[in-house]
Amino acid sequence: MADLDALLRDLAAESADLESLVAELPQPDWARPTPAAGWTVAHQIGHLAWTDEVAGLAATDARTGGTAFIDLLTEAAARVTTFVDEAAAAAATTPPPELLERWRRGRTELAAALRAVPGNAKVPWFGPPMRPGSMATARLMETWAHGQDVADALGIHRTPTDRLRAVAHIGARTRDFAYAVRELPAPAAEFRIELRAPSGELWSWGPESAAERVTGPAVDFCLLVTQRRHPEDLALRTTGPEAAHWLTIAQAFAGPPGSGREPARQS
C-alpha cells in the first residue's frame, strides 16, 4: 500500500469531494433520508465528523500514552448496539454550516495526529489496534462509503477514482473478519482477487494459482465490501463455492454483521 502521506492526501481529496456535494445544499435537503435506515444526510456527515474526532483522539493517545480513547471505549461497551447511532443523531442536530466546520477541523486534526504517531506505535480502535497507515485507510474507506450514501440520497452519480485502491485493499484484507464476526470458519485457502481500476490498471491480491477467485470492476468490489450494493446488482464474477459465499457476507467495516442492502433488480 501507499505511504501515510499519500493515504492522507487521498483521504483529504475524498473528503473534499464529498463536501462539494453538500456545501451548498439547502438546509431542508440535509434531512433527506439516505439508504442507511434512520440516517439522513446530516447523520452521514455528522458520523464522519464524530469518527474523525474520535480517531484523532485515539492517535493522540498513541503518541502521548493518554487514556481518553480507552475511556470512550469503556463508555461504548455499555451501549454497544446504540453508541454510534447516538453519536450520529446528536451530530445531526448541528446547523449545517457548523457541522461542516466541525468536520473540516476534525479531519485536519486527525491528519496531524496520525503523522505524529511514533513509528512503532499502534493506534487503539474499536477493533484491533492499527498502524497510522491502516487508520488512514479505514478513514478513507468510511468516507467513501458514507459519501456513497449521501450521493444516493441526492441522486448523484460519482465518478470513481483510483483512490478506491485503499478501499479495495481493506476489503481484501478483511476477508476472514467477515466470517469471524458471524462465528463461521474462514476458508483455509487464500482467494485470488483481480479488479479493474477506474484508470484501467489491474489490481490483484492473493496467489495467481488460487482456485477460488473474485474478478470484476474495482468500484463494484468496493460497493460490495462496504455493503452499499447487493451482490446481485454488481458485475463481480466468482470461481468456486467459497468465493461465491464470501460475496454474500463480505464486510470491510468494524462492528457486528452488517445487514447490507436489498437488490435493486430482480434476478
Side-chain angles (χ1 to χ4, degrees):
M1 286 300 295
D3 62 23
L4 178 60
D5 282 341
L7 285 166
L8 290 175
R9 285 194 297 272
D10 280 354
L11 175 57
E14 195 65 40
S15 299
D17 277 1
L18 173 53
E19 184 174 335
S20 72
L21 300 185
V22 299
E24 303 299 326
L25 202 61
Q27 184 160 348
D29 286 340
W30 284 78
R32 282 199 194 190
T34 68
W39 280 32
T40 65
V41 170
H43 283 77
Q44 299 285 352
I45 301 301
H47 171 72
L48 290 175
W50 175 82
T51 314
D52 284 346
E53 291 168 355
V54 171
L57 186 68
T60 299
D61 281 359
R63 176 177 61 83
T64 64
T67 63
F69 177 76
I70 298 302
D71 294 341
L72 181 71
L73 206 56
T74 301
E75 181 185 352
R79 309 195 309 278
V80 66
T81 60
T82 62
F83 191 71
V84 171
D85 283 346
E86 289 170 2
T93 64
T94 308
E98 295 178 25
L99 182 54
L100 284 174
E101 180 54 34
R102 175 183 169 183
W103 182 32
R104 294 186 197 109
R105 182 173 62 252
R107 66 194 197 230
T108 299
E109 292 174 353
L110 169 61
L114 288 174
R115 287 191 174 98
V117 173
N120 293 325
K122 287 189 175 183
V123 179
W125 198 235
F126 296 97
M130 294 184 277
R131 301 289 185 195
S134 295
M135 175 62 82
T137 302
R139 297 308 309 132
L140 177 54
M141 179 268 292
E142 268 231 329
T143 301
W144 180 82
H146 288 283
Q148 186 63 51
D149 290 337
V150 171
D152 287 343
L154 300 177
I156 294 172
H157 172 74
R158 298 190 299 172
T159 301
T161 73
D162 277 11
R163 292 192 296 270
L164 287 176
R165 182 174 177 83
V167 183
H169 177 74
I170 200 170
R173 291 289 301 273
T174 54
R175 186 201 73 165
D176 289 1
F177 169 74
Y179 292 90
V181 73
R182 289 166 175 79
E183 300 183 347
L184 297 172
E190 292 186 70
F191 293 175
R192 175 71 170 181
I193 301 171
E194 293 183 352
L195 306 174
R196 188 62 61 183
S199 64
E201 183 182 354
L202 183 66
W203 298 336
S204 63
W205 293 263
E208 289 187 34
S209 60
E212 301 279 343
R213 308 173 74 86
V214 177
T215 62
V219 63
D220 284 24
F221 182 76
C222 293
L223 289 165
L224 174 88
V225 298
T226 58
Q227 295 189 0
R228 262 52 190 184
R229 293 290 187 274
H230 191 278
E232 292 179 9
D233 297 322
L234 301 171
L236 296 172
R237 296 187 176 183
T238 60
T239 301
E242 295 283 8
H245 177 238
W246 179 49
L247 259 59
T248 68
I249 64 170
Q251 176 172 328
F253 50 89
S259 57
R261 301 283 158 80
E262 293 297 320
R265 64 189 185 204
Q266 297 300 316
S267 55

